[in-house]
Every structure is written in C-alpha cells, then in structure tokens.
Amino acid sequence: MIEELQTKTEHDLLENIFQQILIISKGDCQITDETLARVHDERYFNILSGLQMLHEDLALYKKEFKAKIEAEFQLAVLKKRNEELAQFNYVASHDLQEPLRTIKLFADLLLKNNFEQLDADGKIHLQFIKESSSRMSELIQGLLNYSIVGKSNKFESVDCTQLIKVIIKDFSSIILETKPIFEIGNLPVVYGDKTHLRQVFQNLIGNALKFKKENTPIQLKISVDSSTDDHVFCFEDNGIGIEEEYLQKIFGIFQRLHSKTEFEGTGIGLALCKKIIEMHNGKIWVESNKVSGSKFFVLLPKS
Ligand code: ADP
C-alpha cells in the first residue's frame, strides 16, 4: 500500500491519510511497523507514525475509560446495597427492642413478685434470662448506633482539647479507681461531626482504660502529628496489647478477643470508630504488641 502511496499525487496521499484517520477513529489500525519500515519519505513517515501513535493512545484511553465506567457502576451498586443494608439494620434493631423490653419487664416482675416461690434452679434460670436480655439490649443498642452513623451529620469545627477534657470527665469514676497517668499533647481544632468524633475518642480512651495489664498503672498518651495535609492522632497505651494476626479483625463488627467475663464489651466500639472515621474521609489503624501495648492511630484530613 505504501509503495503505491509514494507514487501517487499529493491529493491521493492526503485522501489516504484521511482514510487512515477514519479507520483509526473506529478503533482499528492498519499502520503496522512493517508498513512504516517501507516508507522512505520523511514527511509521510512522520504522519503515519503519528497516526499509529494516535491509535495506540486512543486504544489505551478507550480501555481506561471502559474500566472507569465499570468501576463507577460497581461503586454505585455497592453504595445502594450498603444503604439498603443500613436501613435493614436500623429497622431490624429498632423492632427487636420492643419484644426484648417485654421479656425484661416480665423477668423483672417475676423477680419482684415470685422470686421466693421459685426453686433453686428457677432462680438461676431467671437470673440468666435477666442477664441475657440486658446483654442483648446492649448489642441491639450498639447495632442501632452503628446503623445511624452517616444518617444525619452535622459538620463543624471541633476543638479536640475540649472534647477530650469532657470525655475524661465522663470516665471519672473509673479514673478515681485506677488512677491512670495521662499525657495529652496539644490537640488541634478539626472539622467533623462532634457527636461522632466524641464516640470515637470515647471508645479509644475507654478501651485503653479497660484493656489494662494487671498490677501496672495505666498510662495513656494522646498526641497529634499535624505536619502533613492530615491530622494523625495517636492514642498510645501500655495495656495488654493485641497479637499481630488480630490487628485488622478487631475493626469488624462483634469482633472481640476476650470473653465478656474477662473484659466487658459488645465488640461494636471499634467497628463504629471505623465507620465514623471513614465517613470523615479518614483512616483508623492500630500498631500493637503484647509487651509495650497498643497505639491506635486516627487520621483526619485537614480540609
Ligand atoms: P469491646 O471493647 O466492646 O470489646 P471494641 O470493638 O472496642 O469492642 O474492641 C474490639 C476488641 O479489640 C476488644 O474486645 C479487644 O480484644 C481489642 N482491643 C480494643 N482496644 C484495645 C486496647 N487498647 N488494647 C488491647 N486490646 C484492645
């Protein structure tokens, strides 16, 4: 084709190049390296190799565009499924509260009016019903809290020093009992949902106070690195630590590493923290070992 090309007039050549452009725009390319090797006129060589490059760019662009559209579609589907799941979670946990309240009410009535009439086994069974319904109530409340994250957010400036002070006050009874050593650095003002951020900090501080080593005074250091585009908070404790294999798992819902007799809890706290921080376009992760304790990091974008 190219040998013929060279013998034709300028008009024919342009016509031919135009045809190539049309072919390329349809996604096909007939200009191979072999063809180019046979072109000796520099002008036509440059035009044809330019067209060949154009075709390659176009093919790449088409591939990337298709992948992008597919990814966006998957994301939209996933988002919709998540919304449906959150709605289901909310309705289910909300509706479960009602029969549970009835169970608790009648267990209380039995305890109040008929306890002495029960034999030893009956008394134990009633105690089990009471304890299990209280625990279920805590779990359902946790699920409800989890499902409402992101439903109605109020973003504002949040003074983290103030927030931490209020949270520490809320823990005053356990603080009086355990006398922890706090080291709190200069904390920034961030932009976020105050109620939700309070839940995050409260969970992290609560866990540091809860998962403590026997016979060792609790130390909790709260610091922030604001040297980049983000604020990276660090909650560092000297507690029991977490084994490497569980560092990711603990952020899943209902994931606990201990029985409730060892440490109280529902296993929702860190899952809730993760959901809240991701809603702020941030990240949460932990570094930990059984010797020195845990460092929980919370990244919040400055903007
Ligand atoms: P909960 O505290 O109700 O058990 P969380 O979701 O807050 O649930 O934590 C999940 C699990 O992660 C805990 O049960 C515990 O095993 C582990 N964990 C969390 N924080 C700490 C910590 N500071 N030190 C050691 N283990 C921790």
Side-chain angles (χ1 to χ4, degrees):
M1 175 192 89
I2 302 301
E3 274 150 5
E4 275 172 33
L5 238 162
Q6 285 172 337
T7 61
K8 286 188 178 177
T9 62
E10 196 93 343
H11 177 269
D12 287 347
L13 284 167
L14 284 174
E15 183 68 35
N16 214 301
I17 288 167
F18 182 66
Q19 286 305 325
Q20 290 296 336
I21 293 174
L22 277 182
I23 291 167
I24 286 171
S25 69
K26 283 184 196 144
D28 207 0
C29 181
Q30 293 183 343
I31 310 166
T32 61
D33 287 343
E34 251 177 37
T35 315
L36 280 178
R38 283 154 55 205
V39 180
H40 305 297
D41 185 314
E42 199 183 339
R43 275 187 313 158
Y44 303 134
F45 179 87
N46 287 343
I47 292 171
L48 288 173
S49 62
L51 283 173
Q52 192 194 33
M53 271 158 57
L54 182 70
H55 173 260
E56 281 167 10
D57 285 354
L58 260 175
L60 189 69
Y61 177 76
K62 265 169 99 172
K63 206 170 139 196
E64 284 174 359
F65 187 70
K66 201 170 155 222
K68 195 169 159 236
I69 293 285
E70 272 169 14
E72 274 173 12
F73 178 72
Q74 297 292 349
L75 199 71
V77 171
L78 213 64
K79 224 173 143 190
K80 190 157 170 28
R81 294 249 164 88
N82 266 343
E83 276 165 18
E84 282 168 3
L85 215 61
Q87 184 63 15
F88 170 78
N89 192 359
Y90 176 76
V91 173
S93 31
H94 189 264
D95 290 359
L96 282 174
Q97 296 274 32
E98 197 42 49
L100 196 62
R101 262 197 287 274
T102 313
I103 295 173
K104 276 172 81 180
L105 180 76
F106 281 97
D108 281 343
L109 280 176
L110 271 176
L111 205 66
K112 196 171 148 213
N113 302 331
N114 309 84
F115 192 69
E116 290 314 322
Q117 289 151 259
L118 296 171
D119 62 10
D121 276 354
K123 284 177 181 165
I124 294 171
H125 295 165
L126 183 59
Q127 207 54 43
F128 274 132
I129 295 175
K130 274 227 47 147
E131 280 171 20
S132 296
S133 51
S134 297
R135 178 143 181 85
M136 184 135 178
S137 183
E138 273 174 36
L139 293 174
I140 291 175
Q141 191 53 51
L143 268 181
L144 260 174
N145 289 344
Y146 184 82
S147 63
I148 57 178
V149 171
K151 268 190 185 280
S152 58
N153 304 318
K154 192 172 159 241
F155 277 72
E156 58 188 320
S157 292
V158 181
D159 182 342
C160 294
T161 310
Q162 267 316 103
L163 196 58
I164 296 278
K165 264 189 198 162
V166 174
I167 295 168
I168 288 182
K169 224 174 176 183
D170 285 347
F171 282 112
S172 46
S173 64
I174 177 165
I175 287 174
L176 270 176
E177 195 187 310
T178 56
K179 302 196 172 45
I181 302 160
F182 285 109
E183 192 186 320
I184 302 173
N186 277 333
L187 305 182
V189 172
V190 299
Y191 188 66
D193 182 302
K194 194 171 175 179
T195 314
H196 285 330
L197 287 179
R198 181 178 171 150
Q199 282 176 304
V200 172
F201 294 161
Q202 201 162 308
N203 267 310
L204 295 178
I205 295 174
N207 281 348
L209 297 176
K210 181 165 60 169
F211 297 105
K212 66 188 183 71
K213 277 197 186 114
E214 285 285 332
N215 305 321
T216 310
I218 303 167
Q219 287 179 23
L220 173 59
K221 186 176 166 190
I222 306 175
S223 56
V224 180
D225 176 0
S226 301
S227 60
T228 63
D229 288 346
D230 311 300
H231 296 295
V232 183
F233 291 75
C234 177
F235 293 74
E236 180 177 358
D237 66 47
N238 64 336
I240 57 168
I242 303 158
E243 277 162 24
E244 171 112 38
E245 59 188 294
Y246 300 118
L247 294 181
Q248 302 269 343
K249 197 179 165 196
I250 54 169
F251 293 98
I253 202 156
F254 294 139
Q255 298 298 330
R256 310 199 67 227
L257 307 180
H258 310 92
S259 70
K260 68 176 175 8
T261 45
E262 280 178 286
F263 294 102
E264 275 290 316
T266 55
I268 292 177
L270 288 178
L272 187 75
C273 292
K274 186 168 186 280
K275 193 171 177 196
I276 293 172
I277 295 304
E278 285 176 357
M279 186 191 84
H280 284 78
N281 287 328
K283 275 190 216 150
I284 182 167
W285 71 98
V286 61
E287 288 172 8
S288 184
N289 65 68
K290 303 293 267 179
V291 181
S292 52
S294 309
K295 283 184 190 176
F296 280 86
F297 294 93
V298 173
L299 179 151
L300 287 173
K302 282 183 187 165
S303 54

